Amino acid sequence: MHFALAFIACIFCVTPLMAEAATLTLRIAGVKSDSGVIRLCVFSEKKSRPSAYPDCAAGSPVKTANARIVGGRASVSFNDLPDGNYAVSLFHDADGDGKIGMKTVFGVSTAIPSDGIGISNNPTLYGKPEFADAKFTVAGPTSITISMKYF
């Protein structure tokens, strides 16, 4: 009897915490080919390192995923994000090597990606994007579309 009451009390304690979780749906458009996958990461303003954005390896993203490409589009949903400010970075890993390819000029690697990239809010890119440029708010069910950019 005491166990049952304690269990019911626990459910009421956890329920308010669960209500704060939101669903984020990401739609990726403009992918040049269906080969490979879209590799993406979700940064939280509170829990990630926004100063390292958009570097998924250094920025401590709260979520990562690989999305299958069909007809030049991809999508992925995360069902358990707390409300807050986030930013997404992604790239089209067409060759499946897990790395963003960089263009070469006369055999020298440049800082220009050869793979397509995407940033939440679809900012115009003149160099490395900043978290502030890509930031959006999740408050309840949220859906955003990210357009791929190829250089």
Side-chain angles (χ1 to χ4, degrees):
M1 176 78 167
H2 292 290
F3 175 76
L5 291 175
F7 180 75
I8 292 170
C10 267
I11 289 174
F12 287 114
C13 291
V14 173
T15 301
L17 296 176
M18 292 170 53
E20 294 179 19
T23 299
L24 171 62
T25 300
L26 303 172
R27 291 183 177 85
I28 298 98
V31 185
K32 280 191 174 179
S33 78
D34 290 356
S35 64
V37 296
I38 299 294
R39 299 194 190 274
L40 62 94
C41 55
V42 179
F43 289 77
S44 163
E45 189 171 49
K46 289 183 179 178
K47 295 187 178 187
S48 300
R49 293 184 48 228
S51 62
Y53 181 84
D55 187 338
C56 293
S60 302
V62 293
K63 299 287 181 185
T64 60
N66 296 325
R68 189 169 153 246
I69 306 160
V70 178
R73 298 183 162 280
S75 67
V76 64
S77 292
F78 300 103
N79 297 318
D80 56 352
L81 283 177
D83 289 351
N85 293 322
Y86 294 89
V88 175
S89 68
L90 57 87
F91 73 99
H92 178 195
D93 188 5
D95 61 6
D97 67 355
K99 299 181 262 182
I100 297 177
M102 295 297 177
K103 291 187 176 189
T104 57
V105 176
F106 302 115
V108 177
S109 182
T110 68
I112 302 169
S114 59
D115 290 325
I117 62 169
I119 302 296
S120 48
N121 289 338
N122 301 306
T124 301
L125 297 176
Y126 298 106
K128 178 184 170 279
E130 298 295 326
F131 184 90
D133 298 328
K135 180 172 70 171
F136 61 94
T137 300
V138 170
T142 303
S143 179
I144 65 168
T145 299
I146 299 174
S147 299
M148 295 299 298
K149 293 178 177 26
Y150 292 86
F151 301 96

